[in-house]
Amino acid sequence: MTIFQASANVCTISSLATNNLAANSTESKEIYLPGTDCVIKSQVSLAGYTSYRVGGPAELCVAPRNLADLQASIKYASINKIPVTILGAGSNLLVSDRGISGLVIVTRHLRHTYFDPETGRLTVAAGEPVPGLAWAAADRGWQGLEWSVGIPGTVGGMVVMNAGAHNSCIADILVSAQILSPDGTLETVSKEQLGYSYRTSLLQGGSRIVTSATFQLQPGADPAQIIASTKQHKQHRLNTQPYHLPSCGSVFRNPKPYAAGWLIEQTGLKGFQIGKAQVAQRHANFIVNCGGASAGDIFNLIHHIQNKVQDRWSVLLEPEVKMLGEFQAA
């Protein structure tokens, strides 16, 4: 069984293992997993599962609500030799218009949060939304997550990609993560075992799935002070980034010592549009869906930006957005 994290590199449908359910079949199917409340459905549109609001159907899709259901879903895929793609909030993701073959497991319903006042540690399930977690910590007067309030993803994706903002990142506060292997076994790994670097970890492109994570925070502060700091971080995001239209956040990694947005803006690409996909006027490292964009529009705009910036600055921008499925450059 092959597992593709939503944070994996570009892959093609033809490279995935095949199974008895054809990816282009339009027949709807439901598969009930014994002993669980899980129903695997076929031909589920993924547009509603990504912040770009684009993407074709999942050949098969399931949304487990607890660890046992997740393990049952993985077991089903393993027995039937079906490739698996893990999808969290879909906020850093571009899904092909042709969709994804195999089984897509949506983890956003895996929810559990525990604040331990004795240790200052926060243990949280992979599907918890990051902004809500930042506000929950602030309400308790726990420091350490204020910077993350504007990250529109889930904990699982944040751990996999070492998400960051405002000169902070998840590696700064992570203690450990619980990981599910393709054979169904669980293990707890330390931050050091994940090999963190800028916006990446050893989990990217691998077959292990984050089920929960434990963070070290600092309790005991004045909640009003932490709430105010969290609000400042949120307002900064709203003032500088185009949240009024669907996007995936920052499209490219910053090629130090440059900022990707600066390079794109200085290349004269702000406002440039392919189809209904546009380089945002407010922040050039954002591509927004102006309404009715296709994944192909966004993909082609990404490549156009890369080519123009490389021509002007001799710098090849590396996408931070992860692409799943089959794409063809125009």
Side-chain angles (χ1 to χ4, degrees), residues 245-263:
L245 291 172
S247 78
C248 73
S250 295
V251 175
F252 299 102
R253 298 169 188 254
N254 290 320
K256 296 180 179 180
Y258 304 104
W262 184 87
L263 292 172

Side-chain angles (χ1 to χ4, degrees), residues 172-235:
D172 297 335
I173 59 173
L174 184 72
V175 175
S176 62
Q178 186 184 67
I179 306 295
L180 178 65
S181 296
D183 63 4
T185 60
L186 286 168
E187 64 174 327
T188 299
V189 298
S190 67
K191 171 177 65 177
E192 290 72 24
Q193 290 174 281
L194 295 179
Y196 277 128
S197 58
Y198 176 67
R199 300 296 184 268
T200 189
S201 76
L202 294 178
L203 293 170
Q204 285 194 322
S207 58
R208 296 179 296 169
I209 303 167
V210 175
T211 61
S212 67
T214 298
F215 306 113
Q216 182 65 61
L217 303 182
Q218 295 80 48
D222 179 3
Q225 179 183 352
I226 307 305
I227 290 171
S229 176
T230 304
K231 285 182 178 178
Q232 287 179 350
H233 283 95
K234 179 66 174 179
Q235 193 58 49

